Amino acid sequence: MKVLVLHGPNLNMLGQREPDTYGAQTLEQIDEMITEAAWDLDIEVEIVQSNHEGELVEAIHQALGSADVIIINPAAYTHTSVAIRDALAAVGLPAIEVHLTNIHAREQFRRRSLTAPVCHGQICGFGGWGYVLALHAAREIVEEEAS
Amino acid sequence: MKVLVLHGPNLNMLGQREPDTYGAQTLEQIDEMITEAAWDLDIEVEIVQSNHEGELVEAIHQALGSADVIIINPAAYTHTSVAIRDALAAVGLPAIEVHLTNIHAREQFRRRSLTAPVCHGQICGFGGWGYVLALHAAREIVEEEAS
Amino acid sequence: MKVLVLHGPNLNMLGQREPDTYGAQTLEQIDEMITEAAWDLDIEVEIVQSNHEGELVEAIHQALGSADVIIINPAAYTHTSVAIRDALAAVGLPAIEVHLTNIHAREQFRRRSLTAPVCHGQICGFGGWGYVLALHAAREIVEEEAS
Amino acid sequence: MKVLVLHGPNLNMLGQREPDTYGAQTLEQIDEMITEAAWDLDIEVEIVQSNHEGELVEAIHQALGSADVIIINPAAYTHTSVAIRDALAAVGLPAIEVHLTNIHAREQFRRRSLTAPVCHGQICGFGGWGYVLALHAAREIVEEEAS
Amino acid sequence: MKVLVLHGPNLNMLGQREPDTYGAQTLEQIDEMITEAAWDLDIEVEIVQSNHEGELVEAIHQALGSADVIIINPAAYTHTSVAIRDALAAVGLPAIEVHLTNIHAREQFRRRSLTAPVCHGQICGFGGWGYVLALHAAREIVEEEAS
Amino acid sequence: MKVLVLHGPNLNMLGQREPDTYGAQTLEQIDEMITEAAWDLDIEVEIVQSNHEGELVEAIHQALGSADVIIINPAAYTHTSVAIRDALAAVGLPAIEVHLTNIHAREQFRRRSLTAPVCHGQICGFGGWGYVLALHAAREIVEEEAS
Amino acid sequence: MKVLVLHGPNLNMLGQREPDTYGAQTLEQIDEMITEAAWDLDIEVEIVQSNHEGELVEAIHQALGSADVIIINPAAYTHTSVAIRDALAAVGLPAIEVHLTNIHAREQFRRRSLTAPVCHGQICGFGGWGYVLALHAAREIVEEEAS
Amino acid sequence: MKVLVLHGPNLNMLGQREPDTYGAQTLEQIDEMITEAAWDLDIEVEIVQSNHEGELVEAIHQALGSADVIIINPAAYTHTSVAIRDALAAVGLPAIEVHLTNIHAREQFRRRSLTAPVCHGQICGFGGWGYVLALHAAREIVEEEAS
Amino acid sequence: MKVLVLHGPNLNMLGQREPDTYGAQTLEQIDEMITEAAWDLDIEVEIVQSNHEGELVEAIHQALGSADVIIINPAAYTHTSVAIRDALAAVGLPAIEVHLTNIHAREQFRRRSLTAPVCHGQICGFGGWGYVLALHAAREIVEEEAS
Amino acid sequence: MKVLVLHGPNLNMLGQREPDTYGAQTLEQIDEMITEAAWDLDIEVEIVQSNHEGELVEAIHQALGSADVIIINPAAYTHTSVAIRDALAAVGLPAIEVHLTNIHAREQFRRRSLTAPVCHGQICGFGGWGYVLALHAAREIVEEEAS
Amino acid sequence: MKVLVLHGPNLNMLGQREPDTYGAQTLEQIDEMITEAAWDLDIEVEIVQSNHEGELVEAIHQALGSADVIIINPAAYTHTSVAIRDALAAVGLPAIEVHLTNIHAREQFRRRSLTAPVCHGQICGFGGWGYVLALHAAREIVEEEAS
Amino acid sequence: MKVLVLHGPNLNMLGQREPDTYGAQTLEQIDEMITEAAWDLDIEVEIVQSNHEGELVEAIHQALGSADVIIINPAAYTHTSVAIRDALAAVGLPAIEVHLTNIHAREQFRRRSLTAPVCHGQICGFGGWGYVLALHAAREIVEEEAS
């Protein structure tokens, strides 16, 4: 079982700035957590970070045939990108949207997700741990489909 | 470590009706999943279902002093109850909002959650499994606070 | 053939107050009209009034298996209760929404009905007589389904 | 006692098209139902169908002095015609708005009725049978006024 | 100098109904006022009343070449007719919008005029006398253009 | 018969600036037109111009007992002043709102008049001539009340 | 003279939580203040707290005949309950709405009160002291009506 | 293969007025273009122009059985007519909406089309040539359905 | 202890006009009530009425150093004046907003207060008596701060 | 005569996914259709597909001097990209917006096009054939400008 | 070269209050900065502060003929005054809007400027230094016009 | 002292197109102005132009540690990019937003800036000169922080 993990724009800056909002973890530390959890769950992960909307779109396209589930934190593009939404709908793989922070407790414009309606589910507010929860959910989804 | 699990209105009807939307699991089956997962995680759970806004408010009040985390699926009250929001804020315990379905992929009025802004995080779209993910998250939150 | 008639909040005050808006009939008089009309139409009726959203939700649940049609005047909850809407959708019985007054000719917020979209139809503006019309409609619905 | 029954635009197409939405009955069949029910209730009916907003306005004008009640299904004009609304207000006869379908369960723009606020009441969702219910209501209204 | 006076829908009912809102004058009495005032101002008037949007559109078309100014009370169509607006813009004659009542003091939807933006000016709230004021204004407009 | 004519802010600049929008007439020329027309109609006029909201409020107060009708061009305050609206309502004299330009054909925010709902009527789009029309209307109103 | 004092949801938690927002007073302390002030003003008070919308509705119903004035802090239900609004309108007693905090200085959704339009007046921002002010106002209202 | 071409209100005025917006072509010239292009494409066309909403509704009704495709420029009714929308849905023929101008580059209210959602496609901004493009598209649609 | 009482625009007209809305009391009578109550509470009051936004702004500025509390009825400026809001925030004294009428039961635009968010609390609906309640509240606020 | 054809994001996925919405044609097949039609119309075409907003902006810039017309399907960027809109306005070439589907019959957010207002016209709903229609229109535009 | 500098309401309070928002500088200190910078740039400045909307309007009027550029900080009137906007448009001098704070980072209602659309440009967020920048810009504007 | 100057999409086209809106200066000429002014102010500048949202995001990231202030003209991305907003917030350097045109005097959608709330200030409407003003402001900000 394979999972593509996509980190959206500015997530490469994690840990350096705004730790009050996003926590002190760096993206490297989160990626280690993901890798370890994937190992425990017998999941093969590929992790991609990009600040470019177009690159995220294409990473999603390439998941077709090479991944069973997409875990995506579209970050700022959550609220502005119809292109990523359409890409997720185009490949049709089960996708799980993750946010480090509780987007419902922040600015009004962060409460609207353009991508969530084409995802299987959404997990927000648990920091880097949200990705680990998403991996558990991914395994569950694949097993359910297989049964 | 103790967790109060609250099921909101109409969840007692699960499994009997609208399986296309809510799945075939009954609330009893979900509660068994919760109990088992809690056992594995060494968490003591109390589970309450109520169709009454006022009872949910009071169950939250009673968690003060008797629970470490609240996992709540406010169901229909998610979108209409300031009282439950205020109750969660009043007790100040970390709370996790769970929805069986992906509320972002349904009617427009289900996308606004009055309760989410006072919760720690939100998990939606994974059926009864969402509660299990929430239990994992609850453990993580408590451990982080303890450290 | 069995019909559950549900009266929502404040309807127990009918006749005593605001007769300019709601007419001089008491709820008892309306219930007599309903009982007589039901007798004529060979319908068995159960009539419940409650000021509690949760009780109305549960009365709807209990209709499952014990009634063929629900006639409901959700009164104030028409405009605020997703829980009653979800309950009606959960039991899936044909439901008829009745209002004593013409809700289109009153305050703006009374024009939006959260419950009507999951009902079979709506009758408003005919005072207590609206329930009698609803009983006729209920019979028609059941006969059509039977044919 | 006399009742003018007005059918608005496109109702002449009933039965031929969109039976999933509007049912298989033709307007002729509905008119027969109306005529029979009127006979039973000792009501004299005149039935007019028009696709022209202006003709409907003028038919309403002509009801002044020749009818006791107007039963009107303004169809598409429900949502766009201030002229029909003003005509109903101008003649001041009790009017009953009928819709074949439950307009609350369709497109958003069909939920706003410009004409309902100047009517006595509204009945929707019961197909051709809605007109029969309206005839019963019309009789009731006239008798109440007479008493 | 020639002026076309257009009366929109329901104005033929003036005097008979809703005198509290529209006054006791009949349209005939208003037309006499118009004719007399036109005589005094040496203006040739043609007066047309129609309840049909399409007829009003065509009356405006025919003013091209046969009238110098259009005085129009679009009544209900003020708020709903892009077609009359476009007709006024198409013929390009100076037009004066008249309303018997003060539309700013009535229902919210009567405050938006689709036609006023393509008119020279608007006069409202002075009953039938508004047409006489409009005739004075019409003379002024023509004289100014001539100078 | 006495009429108070009130000119709002910036009207003292007329003729000097923005002649494309407001015409080439100065306020002095308009005031002469008003004085002459008043003479012809046997009306005594007092004319006040002020750029101060508070002065306009107080001028309206002082009309109580000294004027029969108020003709007011609130200019920019039309769209922002509840105080002038309340002053007009407080003195209760018939008031006529005048605008030099057709406010319906300009910026969106100029289409909302806070003051018009408490006036007898409104005249817009006829330049300085609008005041003369308003004087005619004022005479008519007073005569109607006297009859 | 009798006054019913109603405390809405979560007010039983006062003093224990969110003292920054709601102050350090417990509901018991506030009730003592109320009782003392009532004694001084020669008013008999009954005090009820409930977290249930339906119970508050019924407490209002029971005031009919047993109280002269209702003082109500609907708390969270202020913003969501048409049922309490309708109950207040149904009994028709003068009601005074009290809020501990200045609701205008908090979240946007707390600025809309569904209940205030059917009350006599509103007092907010003075903590528990607001109830004492309301008792003074209640006496004044009753005396004015008596005079 | 037969196509009904419908021209909505004010299109009979083309060429005479507002050439800056609508071009210098008359409707006759456009109709010639249509006729020629239809001849080349071996399509039989019937062309109807009407300023009456009701006539356009009925022309659409009559297309049932006599035409394979409807090409319609609803002009002003695009933005206001639910009746034409319902007529198009009722007959269920493939329809193509044409506009002479680019409606997206004009007033805000012209950007909403009530009729487009029930059409097969829309072509706007190419003047009279848009009808020729629509004829090509009509042929393509019919051939695709036949294949 | 010193209190500045500010009366906004049109309040000088009290008693003369619109007694149905504002009561029969004159401002002089209200000022006497205020003076007497202040005497009883051992408060020194200065009372200012102005119809000028700028004068109210400056009166607030001058309170700095000369008053302990401001009681302000901004009247019409409540809904339109950011300047008075900013003045209240600038001086930072505790302010109490008073309205004679229940602003929640009037026109929609009167429900929004620009000034209330920077006040300590608000009292509305109790006529002139509202100022007396505000004096009591003022004393309470000062004593609390002192303690 | 040269035309630049731009395909926006996700169009490279055509044919593989969501054939119910977008049809079974691949982008290669559509490009062949375009190439053939261009050949027939004696037009030289350059075809570019990109998932990157910035690349589309730059492709538009490069059209300046190298193309006579731009045919663009901005796909998802239609609804979110001011940058592409500004690029089209910057180069000032006639542009034609094409959509495979009827965007008026899909989600609400797809009905707003940011780019259409700066285009010459728009064609939607005809699948890959829309590009061929656009080529015809492009030729017409260039010939008209040349004449 | 002459520049009129206008300070709007409450700016006379600078330095005394809310230093967290507006900084510790007094208006006198800012005026000194302005005077010095003007001296360096060889600009003659006149500086006016007023809390009265009408006085600001008239100061703008008087700039006509006596100043080349207006630098204005309308403060609270930025968001509410159409009168100042109209005054700026009336005199037609180039105007520069200055705000001490970054209005985009404050309350939502401070983001709308009624005056900015008729200004040449806007500078905000740089405290008293913003006026110095505006003087530089003023010189640039005048020199460009002269060239 | 170092400043990063960022030019957003389409600014590379300056001077070639739409000179009525953006002026005749090319970006090269503006960059020369910036370089000269920076020299005078003893500021080291790096200037980057990009049409790619992702590249702008990354240029901002790279400023961390290499620049003291960011001057950014996000152009079209001002109104659509949460990603650039988040990047500016992430690096936390003082940023100054510059626009060549007065964005308040253009289309409605250009009045909303997503990026301004996280900037220190904004300068708009002064063409290329705005960057020079921003450099002066940048020096001031750095000096203030140093003091």
Side-chain angles (χ1 to χ4, degrees), chain H residues 7-9 43-44 46 48-49 57 66 76 83-84 96 104 106 111-112 114-115 118 123 134 143:
Chain H
H7 300 304
I43 293 172
E44 192 180 326
E46 189 192 347
V48 174
Q49 191 275 332
V57 165
S66 75
I84 292 176
I96 301 171
H104 303 285
R106 300 182 62 194
R111 298 190 71 165
R112 185 182 73 140
L114 280 167
T115 43
V118 297
I123 295 168
E143 280 171 12

Side-chain angles (χ1 to χ4, degrees), chain G residues 44-115:
Chain G
E44 190 179 328
V45 285
E46 189 193 348
I47 307 181
V48 174
Q49 191 275 333
S50 174
N51 297 310
H52 299 260
E53 189 177 12
E55 284 179 13
L56 291 163
V57 165
E58 290 173 353
I60 293 165
H61 291 175
Q62 283 153 19
L64 198 58
S66 74
D68 300 292
V69 176
I70 296 170
I71 292 175
I72 182 166
N73 179 345
Y77 293 138
T78 307
H79 320 296
T80 65
S81 178
V82 175
I84 293 176
R85 176 200 181 110
D86 284 0
L88 290 168
V91 302
L93 294 172
I96 300 171
E97 187 170 311
V98 172
H99 296 285
L100 299 172
T101 61
N102 178 356
I103 57 175
H104 303 285
R106 299 183 63 195
E107 300 100 322
Q108 183 62 30
F109 70 81
R110 288 198 208 270
R111 299 190 71 165
R112 186 181 72 139
S113 170
L114 280 167
T115 42

Side-chain angles (χ1 to χ4, degrees), chain D residues 9-13 16-18 22 49-53 75-77 79-80 106-107 109-110, chain H residues 52-55 57-58 61 64 80-87 89-93 112 114:
Chain D
N10 294 304
L11 292 173
N12 56 318
M13 298 297 281
Q16 301 183 50
R17 286 280 155 170
E18 291 197 282
Y22 293 101
Q49 190 276 333
S50 175
N51 298 308
H52 299 261
E53 190 177 11
Y77 292 137
H79 319 297
T80 64
R106 300 183 63 194
E107 300 100 323
F109 70 81
R110 289 197 207 271
Chain H
H52 298 261
E53 189 177 11
E55 283 180 14
V57 165
E58 290 173 353
H61 291 174
L64 197 59
T80 65
S81 178
V82 175
I84 292 176
R85 175 199 181 109
D86 284 359
V91 301
L93 294 172
R112 185 182 73 140
L114 280 167

Side-chain angles (χ1 to χ4, degrees), chain I residues 32-66:
Chain I
E32 273 173 47
M33 277 175 64
I34 293 170
T35 310
E36 278 175 42
W39 181 266
D40 291 350
L41 289 160
D42 197 20
I43 294 172
E44 190 178 328
V45 285
E46 188 192 348
I47 307 181
V48 174
Q49 191 275 333
S50 175
N51 298 308
H52 300 260
E53 191 177 10
E55 284 179 13
L56 291 163
V57 165
E58 291 173 353
I60 293 165
H61 291 175
Q62 285 153 17
L64 197 59
S66 74

Side-chain angles (χ1 to χ4, degrees), chain J residues 53-55 57-58 61 64 80 82-83 85-87 89-92 114, chain L residues 9-10 12-13 16-18 22 51-53 76-77 79-80 107 109-110:
Chain J
E53 190 178 9
E55 283 179 13
V57 165
E58 292 173 353
H61 291 175
L64 198 59
T80 65
V82 174
R85 174 201 182 109
D86 285 359
V91 301
L114 280 167
Chain L
N10 295 303
N12 55 318
M13 299 297 281
Q16 303 182 50
R17 286 280 157 172
E18 293 197 281
Y22 293 101
N51 298 308
H52 299 259
E53 189 177 11
Y77 291 138
H79 320 296
T80 65
E107 300 99 323
F109 70 81
R110 288 197 207 269

Side-chain angles (χ1 to χ4, degrees), chain C residues 9-10 12-13 16-18 22 51-53 75-77 79-80 107 109-110, chain G residues 52-55 57-58 61 64 80 82-83 85-87 89-92 114:
Chain C
N10 295 303
N12 56 317
M13 298 297 281
Q16 302 182 49
R17 286 281 156 169
E18 292 197 283
Y22 293 102
N51 298 309
H52 299 260
E53 190 177 10
Y77 291 138
H79 320 296
T80 64
E107 299 99 324
F109 70 82
R110 288 197 207 271
Chain G
H52 299 260
E53 189 177 12
E55 284 179 13
V57 165
E58 290 173 353
H61 291 175
L64 198 58
T80 65
V82 175
R85 176 200 181 110
D86 284 0
V91 302
L114 280 167

